[in-house]
Amino acid sequence: MTEQIRTSTRDLEELRDRVSAWLRGQVGSPVTVSELSRPSGNGLSSETLFFTASWGRERTRCVARLAPAAEAVPIFPSYDLRAQFEIMRLAREKAGVPVPRALWLEPDPGPLGSPFFVMEREDGDVPQDLTPYTFEGWLRDARPQDRRRLQDATVGVLAALHDAPFTGDDLAVLTPGGPNRAGAGGGSASGLRAHVDEQRAYYEWAHGSLRVPLLERAFDWLEAHWPDDPGPDVLSWGDARIGNVIYRDFRPVAVLDWEMAALGPRELDLAWMIFLHRFFQNITESLGLPGLPDFMRRDDVCRTYRDLTGYEPRDMGFYEMYAALRHGVIMARVWRRRIHFGEQAMPGDPDDLVLHRATIEELLRG
């Protein structure tokens, strides 16, 4: 679980020169840009660069998010950085979510080879994916009451986002634009329907040449267990998990990774947050380690959310299956990407492309 997965094919020194030239045009004066670096665990879906820019009396610590180069075998078929940029700004300004301040958006691929945006950099602690935070690290070693404080504060981020007074004009940026993001639905049913239909389209794009029967069974299960009333649509963060949050003193100070933002039921984010912990917890227990069994439990998360919003989450079994399916499609794409780069061999059974195959099989059995 500690080996690094290739996330970029771009040369950092060349990128630094291009960032310097581009930024000089933005600020209208000479700019000094530090060496560029990629964070440990650089995101699999897009490329992240750290640098410090100085001009005049200004000195700003920056993070650039770039759409991946085509030769990097992207995880998603399209990357709407403008939508991410606008949703981050709205989440910060209208919902009070601690999102890093968005500085510049560059839709032209010319300057760096692909579109990108730049935001301010925040420091703090992030629950790691490699090695998972359930194995070791600051969160695993924390006092139970501190972990609970972190859990409740993170659920509070969802509550604030989902209850924010966004207008239709605010959310118009979430028009259909790619299988990694659901389209803007009208009624309560259409948000979930559009979301699932987009995920099917994403599956076809990512795996159409090699079917993954387990994932197709999960799609069929969703249709057979569709909620009678999916509930009202809200702005969904999309990738709502603690690994996408920077914490200080167990409280969120930066909420990251908005590329899967969509309109849909509140339960989409709640179930994703619960399932992603279950994913790491199951891996940990499979190796005979205790992990964090009392963390991010469904009843605790839903109770906190209800207390904060007055909304009672429903049909959580359906939404957790959907979260497991969505994660399965993404992880199978990641594994095929690793196969492309010679980091792993193709398994004999395509269902083994899904790292949490056993969990989905368990959910299918009820």
Side-chain angles (χ1 to χ4, degrees), residues 262-338:
L263 298 181
R266 295 166 180 254
E267 289 84 0
L268 290 174
D269 280 339
L270 289 167
W272 187 258
M273 185 176 288
I274 293 165
F275 173 76
L276 263 293
H277 173 69
R278 177 177 178 174
F279 170 74
F280 288 121
Q281 179 66 20
N282 285 353
I283 292 173
T284 309
E285 291 179 355
S286 72
L287 297 175
L289 300 172
L292 297 172
D294 296 331
F295 185 64
M296 285 290 172
R297 294 182 298 192
R298 180 203 289 185
D299 288 349
D300 294 337
V301 169
C302 290
R303 184 182 304 110
T304 300
Y305 187 85
R306 181 196 63 211
D307 291 345
L308 292 171
T309 65
Y311 178 88
E312 183 72 55
R314 50 196 167 183
D315 299 305
M316 287 300 292
F318 172 91
Y319 287 101
E320 286 179 42
M321 169 63 89
Y322 186 33
L325 168 59
R326 291 169 61 203
H327 194 242
V329 178
I330 293 170
M331 292 306 297
R333 175 68 178 177
V334 170
W335 245 234
R336 293 187 68 178
R337 188 176 186 276
R338 297 192 69 186

Side-chain angles (χ1 to χ4, degrees), residues 30-174:
V31 175
T32 300
V33 173
S34 68
E35 290 187 4
L36 273 59
S37 64
R38 296 185 177 101
S40 176
N42 192 18
L44 293 174
S45 58
S46 58
E47 184 171 357
T48 301
L49 299 173
F50 290 165
F51 63 94
T52 298
S54 302
W55 65 95
R57 296 183 178 181
E58 294 289 333
R59 185 176 185 274
T60 303
R61 301 169 68 248
C62 299
V63 180
R65 298 296 300 269
L66 286 71
E71 63 269 20
V73 189
I75 301 301
F76 295 127
S78 63
Y79 291 81
D80 191 342
L81 295 185
R82 180 178 296 279
Q84 291 182 52
F85 189 85
E86 292 300 328
I87 290 300
M88 288 172 59
R89 180 182 58 80
L90 286 168
R92 178 185 175 95
E93 295 177 0
K94 287 203 168 184
V97 173
V99 176
R101 191 161 66 96
L103 300 175
W104 298 287
L105 169 70
E106 180 51 76
D108 183 358
L112 299 188
S114 63
F116 64 95
F117 64 82
V118 179
M119 57 187 170
E120 286 187 335
R121 180 178 173 182
E122 291 281 355
D123 288 325
D125 299 313
V126 179
Q128 67 269 22
D129 292 349
L130 298 172
T131 304
Y133 64 86
T134 47
F135 281 43
E136 61 186 20
W138 63 274
L139 187 59
R140 176 70 181 83
D141 297 338
R143 299 181 303 168
Q145 57 266 40
D146 287 331
R147 281 198 299 271
R148 183 55 185 261
R149 186 150 55 98
L150 180 147
Q151 174 181 303
D152 290 349
T154 311
V155 175
V157 167
L158 299 186
L161 180 69
H162 296 167
D163 277 351
F166 298 119
T167 67
D169 288 342
D170 290 336
L171 301 179
V173 68
L174 290 177

